[in-house]
Amino acid sequence: RGMIVTQIDRMTAEHKRTLEILKSWQKELESDQNSLSEIFLKSVRIIGATCIGVATDHDYSNWTYDVVIVDEAGMITMHDILVPLTRGKKVILIGDHLQLPPGGEREFIDYLQENGRMGFDESELSGEEKQYRTKLEKVYNTSLFEKLYRNPRLSQNRVMLKDQYRMHPYIAEYISKAFYNGEYGSPLNKEDRYLNIAGFDTPIWFIDTAHMAGHEEHEVIQTGGYQNGLEAKIVAKYVARVIRAIENNRYRAPTGVKLDFRRDIGVITAYKAQIPLLKKAIIGELTRKNGNEEGYTADEAREITDSLAINTLDSFQGCENQIIFYSFVRSNPWHKIGFLNEVRRQNVMITRAKSLLVMVGDSETLTKTKATTVHDGKDAAWYFDELVKHCKEEEGGYIDYAKEQAK
């Protein structure tokens, strides 16, 4: 028994010693790793970082660079983009000032305005103070990229990439005319993006709810934003048709293109509050019998809907799908469109689609609005009117939904 106890004590002592050695080794490795990182980083030619990370990451917070390249520069606020710019001997900004602008924080703008007008209550805003607020928002929501791009003294320092390879040329044609002075080219052939599916045989469509009963928006008081039940139902109806067509291979596309609704359908809306309505309506349409075709089960419909990309426009920037459905939401007798007067959102929405874009909205509200655009002060109605006209031309598609229902 004494020998057993002695052996156990020795094994315990050896175990403790082993743990001490492992802990010491771990500390040395951690120390060496930091040293190795420093040596490794000195041999690196390219560093990737966020605007703030380039100055806060301890590995390279004190570095300067021969060239700083900033991507999506049109979406970066002034105070964020200044951080990497101070680190470079040469700076290249890449972006598009005609798509989504920097996201100015509402609280910060309110704070600046409050201090600028000496703390008056929001209800006491005069006409002059409202103009001040508008100017403040424009200054804060205008990127440095846009300021530099529009500066005539820097005309030799800017280059526009004029060829796009994403969209059907007829979709791009409107974008070129409305936003890029006709300079936005499409080397693609129309056949490269041709798609005929579920009755949509042209690349861009506007489904008009203006003459439908119950087409008006509904303001969501609890959470803010707007919903439009009719638009959700219409979008759902056509989304379900397209899904069934894809599932049964009932479509025509370029050779080699095989559609997958999980990957190729995107559903976008201007307002976050509209998303639950869209999902609920799509589930309902999928479970409904369609002619001789049985509907999906409730579980199948939910699974399909969950697999679709359904989101707000702001969340879709940078993404693309073969097929895009869009709900404008706003519809009212006063032709008020809220932040849709930021027509650069329209540019983002249209350029998400590769082969087919289907928009659902109230043309009366959109084309008769008195709102002015944020970025250039033009009438927002002009952009919407041109968009509807573009859809009504030979290569587009237009559906007056009230007449469609009356057939």
Side-chain angles (χ1 to χ4, degrees):
R1 180 180 297 177
M3 291 178 62
I4 294 174
V5 172
T6 301
Q7 288 179 349
I8 292 175
D9 289 343
R10 186 168 62 249
M11 291 172 63
T12 302
E14 290 176 354
H15 181 63
K16 289 181 178 178
R17 177 59 179 161
T18 302
L19 287 176
E20 289 174 1
I21 292 172
L22 288 172
K23 289 179 180 179
S24 176
W25 189 27
Q26 181 182 5
K27 289 180 180 179
E28 290 181 13
L29 285 174
E30 289 175 348
S31 176
D32 289 344
Q33 186 178 26
N34 291 333
S35 299
L36 288 171
S37 294
E38 293 177 7
I39 295 172
F40 174 72
L41 284 171
K42 288 179 180 179
S43 66
V44 170
R45 299 177 64 85
I46 299 174
I47 292 291
T50 63
C51 287
I52 303 302
V54 75
T56 57
D57 192 302
H58 71 275
D59 285 330
Y60 42 80
S61 58
N62 295 319
W63 287 23
T64 56
Y65 305 89
D66 294 323
V67 181
V68 170
I69 302 174
V70 183
D71 192 20
E72 294 289 4
M75 294 182 63
I76 303 173
T77 57
M78 181 77 73
H79 49 266
D80 281 347
I81 202 169
L82 288 176
V83 177
L85 299 195
T86 60
R87 301 305 176 94
K89 299 174 184 177
K90 177 187 287 187
V91 175
I92 300 173
L93 304 182
I94 302 173
D96 187 348
H97 61 290
L98 296 175
Q99 296 213 1
L100 288 181
E105 295 181 8
R106 178 81 267 156
E107 294 82 2
F108 183 66
I109 294 175
D110 287 342
Y111 172 79
L112 290 178
Q113 191 213 1
E114 181 180 350
N115 283 272
R117 58 183 176 82
M118 302 175 64
F120 292 150
D121 292 335
E122 181 74 16
S123 60
E124 298 176 3
L125 276 173
S126 67
E128 184 178 345
E129 288 162 348
K130 288 179 180 178
Q131 289 183 353
Y132 171 75
R133 184 188 190 105
T134 300
K135 290 179 181 178
L136 181 62
E137 289 178 340
K138 186 170 183 179
V139 168
Y140 188 69
N141 289 326
T142 301
S143 66
L144 177 64
F145 177 87
E146 180 174 357
K147 291 177 183 292
L148 296 176
Y149 191 88
R150 293 184 182 279
N151 189 331
R153 292 180 295 177
L154 300 175
S155 60
Q156 298 300 316
N157 296 67
R158 64 176 181 241
V159 176
M160 177 179 172
L161 303 180
K162 298 183 178 182
D163 292 335
Q164 70 84 26
Y165 293 88
R166 173 186 290 167
M167 294 165 283
H168 188 289
Y170 190 69
I171 298 176
E173 185 179 308
Y174 166 75
I175 293 297
S176 179
K177 176 175 63 176
F179 294 95
Y180 299 102
N181 298 317
E183 298 180 0
Y184 198 47
S186 297
L188 288 171
N189 294 318
K190 294 178 181 180
E191 293 74 19
D192 296 330
R193 288 289 182 266
Y194 174 76
L195 180 62
N196 187 337
I197 185 169
F200 297 116
D201 56 356
T202 54
I204 184 169
W205 289 75
F206 191 94
I207 301 176
D208 199 345
T209 65
H211 305 110
M212 285 289 296
H215 62 81
E216 292 86 0
E217 69 201 28
H218 167 69
E219 186 174 5
V220 182
I221 304 299
Q222 297 86 348
T223 58
Y226 292 86
Q227 294 178 330
N228 191 307
L230 177 63
E231 287 190 20
K233 291 178 181 178
I234 295 172
V235 169
K237 174 182 175 180
Y238 289 105
V239 167
R241 285 187 183 180
V242 168
I243 289 174
R244 288 189 171 99
I246 292 174
E247 286 278 81
N248 294 283
N249 292 312
R250 295 196 302 260
Y251 62 89
R252 292 173 58 195
T255 303
V257 174
K258 177 70 174 177
L259 295 181
D260 181 343
F261 64 79
R262 296 170 183 83
R263 178 192 65 222
D264 292 320
I265 296 178
V267 182
I268 312 176
T269 179
Y271 288 87
K272 187 176 181 179
Q274 182 77 345
I275 294 176
L277 286 189
L278 287 166
K279 291 183 175 181
K280 182 179 179 180
I282 292 171
I283 291 171
E285 279 293 331
L286 289 173
T287 56
R288 187 173 291 112
K289 186 176 181 180
N290 181 49
N292 296 325
E293 296 179 348
E294 292 296 326
Y296 295 90
T297 67
D299 288 341
E300 289 172 336
R302 277 191 291 270
E303 182 181 352
I304 291 171
T305 303
D306 289 341
S307 72
L308 299 177
I310 305 175
N311 219 323
T312 60
L313 181 58
D314 292 39
S315 300
F316 247 86
Q317 171 134 328
C319 302
E320 64 182 34
N321 293 90
Q322 289 285 356
I323 303 166
I324 289 290
F325 289 89
Y326 182 74
S327 170
F328 284 97
V329 178
R330 299 307 301 265
S331 175
N332 55 77
W334 309 279
H335 309 138
K336 292 184 177 181
I337 60 173
F339 60 65
L340 296 187
N341 74 321
E342 176 49 277
V343 294
R344 288 176 288 187
R345 292 174 181 272
Q346 183 191 111
N347 186 6
V348 176
M349 175 266 291
I350 293 173
T351 54
R352 299 311 94 198
K354 296 174 70 174
S355 299
L356 174 62
L357 172 64
V358 180
M359 300 167 286
V360 180
D362 174 6
S363 66
E364 290 284 319
T365 294
L366 298 173
T367 63
K368 292 184 178 181
T369 182
K370 301 299 182 183
T372 55
T373 61
V374 173
H375 79 285
D376 59 8
K378 294 180 181 178
D379 292 336
W382 180 86
Y383 288 89
F384 294 110
D385 190 52
E386 289 297 311
L387 178 59
V388 174
K389 287 179 181 176
H390 192 69
C391 292
K392 287 182 175 180
E393 291 177 3
E394 185 177 352
E395 292 188 70
Y398 174 85
I399 297 174
D400 184 327
Y401 199 69
K403 293 181 179 178
E404 182 75 9
Q405 290 295 96
K407 290 182 180 178

